[in-house]
Amino acid sequence: MIERIQQAHALYCRLTAQRVRLRFDRERLWYELFHAGFNEDDLQRVIRYLQREIREGRRNVGALKLSNLLQPDRFEEDLNISRVQLYAPKSPNPVASPPPRPTPHPEEDQAARQRALQILARFRAEHGG
């Protein structure tokens, strides 16, 4: 387990371009994360996700702080969010859009305008507008 922890810690340092010593308290955090069922692929996915979020200004750089990253509850939330699809999956049978309605002839369009104006004039006359 200690070798796995050392490798994961080295991966974290490489991906974040940090030099963080692996002390006992940090070993314990790594142990708890792995004991909770997470693995190195999850770690890499979460770090890449957080880096994107930080670049976009949606997260604070503190999200990549080792003591924050290795909290199993936070890690699980970030891992789950990193897997969310923000677009609807394409359906195999796209629904055809209805055919466009024909454009009215200019005479029909003008007649409709005249009817609307008459209705508006009548409404104003009846309601004092």
Side-chain angles (χ1 to χ4, degrees):
M1 178 61 90
I2 189 65
E3 186 175 317
R4 183 179 182 196
I5 289 172
Q6 290 170 341
Q7 289 173 353
H9 190 78
L11 175 64
Y12 166 81
C13 291
R14 188 173 72 251
L15 291 175
T16 62
Q18 294 186 67
R19 293 179 61 178
V20 180
R21 289 191 3 217
L22 182 59
R23 300 185 316 243
F24 177 76
D25 57 328
R26 293 179 178 145
E27 283 182 20
R28 180 76 183 163
L29 292 171
W30 283 111
Y31 173 82
E32 290 174 8
L33 189 75
F34 289 140
H35 188 70
F38 301 108
N39 60 42
E40 291 81 351
D41 290 337
D42 297 334
L43 173 67
Q44 190 164 356
R45 182 179 192 105
V46 168
I47 289 173
R48 299 246 188 258
Y49 160 73
L50 290 173
Q51 288 171 331
R52 271 193 319 272
E53 292 293 297
I54 291 166
R55 273 193 302 275
E56 296 294 324
R58 293 186 290 257
R59 295 290 289 266
N60 186 302
V61 72
L64 281 174
K65 184 177 174 186
L66 193 59
S67 60
N68 291 332
L69 179 72
L70 296 183
Q71 292 182 23
D73 289 344
R74 286 186 188 180
F75 188 89
E76 182 177 27
E77 287 175 4
D78 287 332
L79 180 62
N80 290 336
I81 291 170
S82 74
R83 293 177 173 157
V84 170
Q85 292 184 352
L86 298 178
Y87 55 89
K90 293 185 179 185
S91 61
N93 300 335
V95 177
S97 59
R101 294 174 44 192
T103 56
H105 293 289
E107 299 85 25
E108 293 174 358
D109 201 25
Q110 185 61 32
R113 276 193 194 97
Q114 288 304 317
R115 283 193 305 275
L117 287 172
Q118 289 171 354
I119 292 169
L120 182 59
R122 209 175 350 183
F123 177 81
R124 286 182 176 163
E126 291 174 2
H127 293 88

